[in-house]
Amino acid sequence: MNDEPASPVCYASQGDDIYMGYGGRDEIAAALNVLLEAERAGARVTLESANDARHPPTKHLIKAVYEDEAKWCGMLSAQIKRIGVIPSTHCGAFYDKAMAIADSHERLAFLNRGQAWVVRKLEELLPRVRDDILHAALSEMRASHVENIQRTEECIAETKT
Ligand SMILES: [Fe+2]
C-alpha cells in the first residue's frame, strides 16, 4: 500500500529536485515569469520600433527580433502553465526605459543590452533546471538571443553615420 499523498504529475518530486541542487517549482516559475515580463517588453519595443524604422534592412531585422520575442513569450507562458503556475501579465520596466530613448541607434543598442541581460539570466537559470523539455526550450531561447544580438550589432555598425 502506498501511503504517499497524491500530487500533481509535474514537480511531484520538487523536494528531490531541491535536494539535488536543482531549482524547485516556485524558484523556476519566478525566474520564468521575470523572463516573460522582459520578453513582453522586448516584443512591444521591437514592434513599435519596427513601425518607426525607415531603413528597410533595419526594419526587417527589428521585425524578425519582434517575431522571436513574441515566440519566446508564448513558450515561457506555456512552460509556466505546464508546471502549474499562472503566467504574469505584466510588462517589464524595460519597455518604458527603451521607449524613452528617441534616437533609433541608441534604442537598438539599449535593446541589445537588454537581450544580453536575458542571456545572462538564462545562463544562471539553465543549471538549475532539471526538466529536459524546459531545459531544451530555454537553451534554444538562449541561442536565438545570442544570434539576434550579433545581427543587431552588425546592423548598428552598418547603419551608423
Ligand atoms: Fe528577448
Side-chain angles (χ1 to χ4, degrees):
M1 173 135 181
N2 186 352
D3 291 323
E4 278 185 25
S7 35
V9 176
C10 295
Y11 280 80
S13 60
Q14 188 178 192
D16 290 349
D17 285 352
I18 294 167
Y19 180 74
M20 291 174 75
Y22 295 105
R25 185 183 74 163
D26 296 348
E27 178 198 324
I28 299 292
L32 294 178
N33 263 329
V34 168
L35 286 168
L36 174 59
E37 291 177 5
E39 290 303 281
R40 186 171 288 129
R44 285 181 64 187
V45 168
T46 44
L47 181 62
E48 291 180 34
S49 300
N51 289 338
D52 295 344
R54 277 168 302 205
H55 179 242
T58 306
K59 195 181 192 80
H60 180 78
L61 168 78
I62 302 173
K63 269 189 179 171
V65 176
Y66 160 72
E67 277 162 21
D68 281 340
E69 297 289 279
K71 172 182 156 182
W72 301 126
C73 283
M75 180 278 281
L76 291 163
S77 193
Q79 291 292 334
I80 293 164
K81 283 185 199 157
R82 193 169 70 84
I83 60 174
V85 175
I86 297 168
S88 167
T89 54
H90 293 122
C91 180
F94 178 83
Y95 172 78
D96 285 331
K97 290 181 193 165
M99 296 315 290
I101 302 170
D103 182 86
S104 59
H105 276 100
E106 278 180 30
R107 193 191 294 162
L108 262 188
F110 186 74
L111 173 74
N112 245 9
R113 290 200 293 278
Q115 298 284 70
W117 179 89
V118 168
V119 169
R120 286 198 302 278
K121 287 282 156 197
L122 287 167
E123 287 172 351
E124 285 167 17
L125 181 59
L126 277 164
R128 306 280 292 150
V129 176
R130 188 182 189 186
D131 180 293
D132 288 343
I133 294 169
L134 177 58
H135 198 282
L138 294 175
S139 296
E140 195 189 335
M141 179 180 168
R142 182 198 162 277
S144 163
H145 273 73
V146 169
E147 195 182 314
N148 281 341
I149 288 168
Q150 182 65 36
R151 290 172 71 197
T152 304
E153 265 175 21
E154 286 166 10
C155 177
I156 292 168
E158 280 166 20
T159 54
K160 206 158 196 171
T161 49

